[in-house]
Amino acid sequence: MSDHEQRIDRFFDRHLLPLVNVLEAAGVRHFPAGADPGVESYYRAPDDPAPALKTIEPTELAADLTALWATADPALLPLVEPLAELAMDLREEETEATLSPFIYVMF
Amino acid sequence: MSGYILGISAYYHDSSAALVRDGEVIAAAQEERFTRVKHDPRFPRNAINYCLEAAFIEAEDLRAVVFYDDTLLTLDRVLKTTLATAPRGRDNWRKAARSLLGIKVHAARRIRDYLQVPVPVLFTRHHDAHMASAFYPSPFDEAAILTLDGVGEWATTNLGHGVDGAIRILEQIDFPHSLGLLYSAFTVFCGFKVNSGEYKLMGLAPYGTPRYADLIRRELIDIREDGSFRLNMRHFGYLDTLCMTGDAFEKLFGGPALPPDGRITRREMDLAASIQQVTEEVVLACAKHLRRLTGSRNLVMAGGVALNCVANGRLLRSGLFENLWIQPAAGDAGGALGAALLAAHRHFGLPRAPRPSGQSDRQRASLLGPSFSEAEIHAFLDINQLPFTHLPDPGQRAALIADHLAAGKVVGFFNGPMEFGPRALGGRSILGDPRNPETQTVMNLKIKQRESFRPFAPAVLESACGTWFELDRASPYMLLVADVRAERRLPITKTSADTDDLLEVVRQPRSDIPAVTHMDYSARVQTVNPADNPEFHRVISAFEARTGVGVVVNTSFNVRGEPIVCSPKDAYRCFMRTDMDLLVMGSYVLCKKGQPERQAERARQERFAPD
């Protein structure tokens, strides 16, 4: 396992797994996993109806994530600093040239 | 202040770059065409270089660079998905963290480092870029906008409205509920590759019976009257594994997925027919709802699902909208173009550029890639000491190509700028005779190096389209499927219900242009007019003069597993690797006979990757 993979795994164990229990206890659900007979439509109104352009700088990552989660998802705020640190640790120059034939690339 | 804006799409699939000037599309290209790695997701340095060179500018001339994804929102989605599925999902998290935190978060720095100028770098949301790519290059001043794909940040489906320079998002559906991912799940399950096999699944559908459609509606997707939908995530694997489907999916459809390159059975044909039917149903219902919301007569579309030309054809025939325009680079590559245009109009407030004179839209026939001068082509031939004939007269050249086609020969056609988007439109095409019942098999085996159940696409003179197809309008980007006219059809004696051998069914002539007629008498039509592509139009006209048929077979200039050719070198290499008979590059004509043995030997040693 590479150094980067070890850091990513460590983040998963130290920061994500403990948060899972906290979120579960608080009844937080980030998305529905199936049909809901109680609603007429599955469309939702956009957060911002006008297309938006912004800047994203790695040095501003912590501030940007704080702004993103402060109101809507305060339970995620403990992840901000560790994520910003991880982003600095993981910086790479390039990604793989080929794609998996088995899964749609989602990130 | 006017200026150049560079759009970049990278790190998902099909990296690309696009350049606009004052809202006018100048150049665009996919990185795969330069690196020769299909769907290359890496930073598009070659495509960027090309765009700058095409406009004769330096990086310091750029007013802004726009990246087509909001990495913060994608990170938000990935984290929440990981938290929702942990302790499972560790593998997904590993892959996502490297891509998002290791690379995408640093995209602005990467762009500035590469360009070596302190240019402003902006980020737009993935579906906003798709919406912009659908609306701004379209012919319309006002249109309803529908984008459907796998996923960007959260959105998988956007409904919107464009008026002049402004776009408004009306409604959306979010991950994990995605029509694109549903279709991709079936693509993999039927033994095809995600991101390239969706087209094959669509082509397989007419051989099957939609006997699983009700099961799909009952168990996999809940569709509401307004076209909104939700997936039942119990059956899918992509939330917490590196597979699209899971055990529950296999159980539902009677066994495991077909392995890649496995022999297609009735189950796969029926699955293809079923998911195609459900997909069309959702697209139509979404469009109907959007029509109600906007009252518009015009619809524009983008996102990977918009490449489903069968659904597009059905949408057109439904009459829900009077006019339909689909971004030819509807997948992620087109995001670069959309991002640049969005910045031009939304961020910098530039008005939309007028439609170029004589053209039907602002996409410039999607011939936005590199072109090579006569001198460059000649230099390539000269340096490599390749025998050729020079035919500078366009009429003579078109007549020669037509003669070869009419004699059953296969012609490589390298003409002008390369296309932007997945379809070859007469810039980098392989041409054949649609009348010949053997063309489909011969071109598949000798050129594409594989037998296929899919017929090729017809390129038809726009003026003759109604003579051959039940289509009353132009389809310049091969994104509409229409039926071959009833009087041209031949009875089909053997269907897939009669035999398990798909090729027996495929080899039956189905019309007087059998090479381009599908099992259900449909065809993926490309109309060609003299304004968009005069050289290609001349060739088809010459073929019509010889044969009375204003239609040729048009397939992409590549072999399996390889991107469409870009340069004369790529074209010659592909020519020598296959049994193509003639290669025409600009005004230079090369016959297979007489090419140096050393080139043929080198070509024979190359292997083909599965596509």
Side-chain angles (χ1 to χ4, degrees):
Chain A
M1 191 182 281
S2 72
D3 182 47
H4 280 182
E5 281 171 336
Q6 285 177 27
R7 284 170 201 263
I8 292 168
D9 268 19
R10 215 176 297 140
F11 183 92
F12 188 87
D13 293 328
R14 285 190 191 163
H15 299 287
L16 293 183
L17 284 181
L19 193 57
V20 170
N21 297 329
V22 176
L23 294 171
E24 266 178 16
V28 174
R29 215 173 55 125
H30 290 299
F31 49 78
D36 182 350
V39 299
E40 224 173 83
S41 172
Y42 293 129
Y43 291 121
R44 75 168 181 89
D47 298 328
D48 179 0
L53 290 123
K54 61 162 87 159
T55 56
I56 298 176
E57 298 292 344
T59 50
E60 301 297 317
L61 184 61
D64 288 343
L65 288 175
T66 301
L68 182 66
W69 290 334
T71 311
D73 298 292
L76 302 186
L77 288 174
L79 297 178
V80 168
E81 288 302 331
L83 270 174
E85 279 173 30
L86 190 60
M88 289 304 162
D89 289 345
L90 294 183
R91 187 182 170 191
E92 291 179 32
E93 283 307 311
E94 204 44 278
T95 185
E96 295 163 21
T98 52
L99 298 167
S100 164
F102 305 116
I103 189 156
Y104 187 95
V105 179
M106 289 184 236
F107 23 80
Chain B
M1 178 186 158
S2 63
Y4 290 94
I5 300 168
L6 181 72
I8 290 179
S9 152
Y11 307 137
Y12 277 87
H13 24 77
D14 288 318
S15 289
S16 69
L19 187 72
V20 304
R21 180 187 56 211
D22 301 340
E24 183 191 358
V25 182
I26 300 295
Q30 290 136 278
E31 183 69 2
E32 63 162 24
R33 306 291 165 87
F34 303 95
T35 61
R36 314 306 301 154
V37 176
K38 204 163 184 177
H39 304 303
D40 198 334
R42 292 173 296 179
F43 186 77
R45 65 186 76 197
N46 297 287
I48 292 172
N49 292 349
Y50 156 67
C51 285
L52 298 180
E53 284 169 15
F56 301 101
I57 61 168
E58 303 289 338
E60 55 256 38
D61 298 319
L62 292 171
R63 192 174 182 186
V65 179
V66 193
F67 191 78
Y68 86 128
D69 180 74
D70 182 336
T71 309
L72 291 178
L73 288 179
T74 306
L75 179 60
D76 180 65
R77 188 227 330 138
V78 166
L79 272 170
K80 286 173 179 171
T81 305
T82 307
L83 289 166
T85 57
R88 305 182 315 278
R90 187 185 287 268
D91 288 346
N92 277 18
W93 166 248
R94 273 189 198 145
K95 228 171 157 51
R98 283 194 84 140
S99 168
L100 280 167
L101 297 170
I103 295 164
K104 289 179 85 172
V105 157
H106 306 278
R109 191 149 56 188
R110 175 82 180 92
I111 290 165
R112 282 193 288 262
D113 284 352
Y114 182 71
L115 295 174
Q116 297 190 326
V117 289
V119 62
V121 178
L122 302 168
F123 292 74
T124 179
R125 288 177 301 210
H126 187 99
H127 267 262
D128 292 356
H130 277 321
M131 292 178 92
S133 78
F135 178 59
Y136 291 127
S138 79
F140 312 126
D141 295 331
E142 175 277 327
I145 310 172
L146 177 61
T147 60
L148 297 135
D149 76 349
V151 64
E153 298 86 12
W154 277 101
T156 65
T157 305
N158 267 15
L159 278 60
H161 193 204
V163 180
D164 297 327
I167 287 175
R168 198 161 52 96
I169 309 159
L170 303 172
E171 291 177 340
Q172 70 185 67
I173 297 173
D174 285 346
F175 181 86
H177 308 291
S178 162
L179 193 60
L181 293 179
L182 175 68
Y183 207 87
S184 290
F186 277 91
T187 300
V188 171
F189 196 72
C190 290
F192 304 120
K193 279 186 179 181
V194 169
N195 290 322
S196 58
E198 284 79 0
Y199 226 59
K200 296 179 189 171
L201 192 68
M202 184 186 76
L204 184 62
Y207 294 100
T209 306
R211 66 182 163 112
Y212 296 111
D214 283 341
L215 184 64
I216 293 171
R217 289 187 201 99
R218 197 168 59 242
E219 297 291 336
L220 295 186
I221 181 168
D222 183 38
I223 308 166
R224 294 299 157 97
E225 200 190 337
D226 60 6
S228 64
F229 57 85
R230 270 203 198 151
L231 303 186
N232 180 355
M233 295 313 299
R234 198 169 72 80
H235 294 283
F236 298 91
Y238 56 80
L239 286 180
D240 56 358
T241 71
L242 294 173
C243 297
M244 294 299 293
T245 58
D247 293 344
F249 196 97
E250 293 184 358
K251 201 176 278 182
L252 209 54
F253 298 110
L258 186 72
D261 275 344
R263 187 187 167 90
I264 291 166
T265 68
R266 172 145 312 284
R267 182 184 72 153
E268 284 73 40
M269 296 179 217
D270 292 345
L271 284 170
S274 304
I275 190 60
Q276 180 63 31
Q277 185 183 85
V278 172
T279 299
E280 289 172 26
E281 182 182 324
V282 174
V283 171
L284 251 70
C286 284
K288 195 172 174 186
H289 178 61
L290 185 55
R291 168 78 208 223
R292 272 197 303 266
L293 287 177
T294 62
S296 180
R297 297 180 298 120
N298 308 314
L299 175 66
V300 297
M301 293 173 70
V305 178
L307 292 171
N308 192 312
C309 45
V310 177
N312 298 342
R314 191 165 161 205
L315 186 53
L316 184 68
R317 289 190 299 279
S318 74
L320 281 169
F321 290 87
E322 284 173 38
N323 303 301
L324 176 63
W325 192 87
I326 300 150
Q327 165 57 241
D332 278 1
L337 182 59
L341 287 167
L342 192 66
H345 302 303
R346 165 89 185 140
H347 193 75
F348 294 111
L350 297 171
R352 288 173 77 190
R355 211 188 306 170
S357 167
Q359 305 234 323
S360 60
D361 58 34
R362 298 168 172 93
Q363 181 82 11
R364 291 178 42 206
S366 218
L367 298 172
L368 299 168
S371 62
F372 294 82
S373 67
E374 291 290 291
E376 285 172 306
I377 296 169
H378 184 265
F380 166 76
L381 299 173
D382 207 32
I383 288 166
N384 291 284
Q385 298 176 304
L386 304 176
F388 63 84
T389 304
H390 190 214
L391 269 185
D393 181 85
Q396 273 187 0
R397 206 160 56 233
L400 178 86
I401 296 170
D403 285 345
H404 275 75
L405 294 176
K409 306 292 185 191
V410 178
V411 178
F413 190 60
F414 182 98
N415 157 47
M418 182 179 71
E419 299 85 347
F420 181 53
R423 306 276 86 86
L425 302 169
R428 303 288 183 274
S429 291
I430 298 174
L431 310 179
D433 183 350
R435 302 167 305 159
N436 188 337
E438 297 302 314
T439 298
Q440 184 176 347
T441 298
V442 168
M443 283 181 76
N444 269 320
L445 287 177
K446 289 191 168 182
I447 311 298
K448 296 290 186 172
Q449 310 289 335
R450 47 111 168 94
E451 182 68 293
S452 174
F453 49 84
R454 292 180 302 159
F456 291 106
V460 59
L461 296 174
E462 191 175 297
S463 55
C465 181
T467 310
W468 296 95
F469 305 103
E470 290 178 355
L471 183 65
D472 63 356
R473 65 194 66 204
S475 172
Y477 302 122
M478 211 187 274
L479 284 168
L480 294 174
V481 159
D483 285 341
V484 172
R485 287 190 69 86
E487 64 270 24
R488 302 200 166 277
R489 299 178 198 169
L490 300 173
I492 292 174
T493 52
K494 195 170 275 185
T495 71
S496 51
D498 305 319
T499 173
D500 283 339
D501 185 356
L502 205 51
L503 297 180
E504 266 187 64
V505 181
V506 169
R507 288 176 187 142
Q508 295 174 101
R510 296 168 288 269
S511 75
D512 55 359
I513 42 173
V516 295
T517 308
H518 209 335
M519 184 64 198
D520 56 356
Y521 299 111
S522 67
R524 289 185 287 135
V525 179
Q526 179 201 359
T527 56
V528 180
N529 68 46
D532 286 344
N533 195 334
E535 182 82 3
F536 194 28
H537 187 268
R538 250 190 308 272
V539 168
I540 308 173
S541 298
F543 187 73
E544 185 184 44
R546 295 284 175 293
T547 64
V549 176
V551 184
V552 298
V553 169
N554 177 14
T555 187
S556 53
F557 199 150
N558 64 332
V559 291
R560 64 184 304 204
E562 179 191 63
I564 294 175
V565 301
C566 176
S567 66
K569 183 183 172 191
D570 301 334
Y572 183 75
R573 182 168 159 262
C574 184
F575 174 61
M576 293 304 290
R577 289 174 87 185
T578 62
D579 288 338
M580 237 179 281
D581 301 289
L582 196 72
L583 171 62
V584 180
M585 295 199 284
S587 60
Y588 297 94
V589 179
L590 288 79
C591 291
K592 178 61 66 62
K593 276 186 189 168
Q595 294 304 314
E597 180 55 28
R598 67 178 190 285
Q599 299 284 357
E601 182 54 36
R602 192 182 300 167
R604 277 195 290 270
Q605 288 170 2
E606 296 188 55
R607 290 177 181 277
F608 298 98
D611 56 4

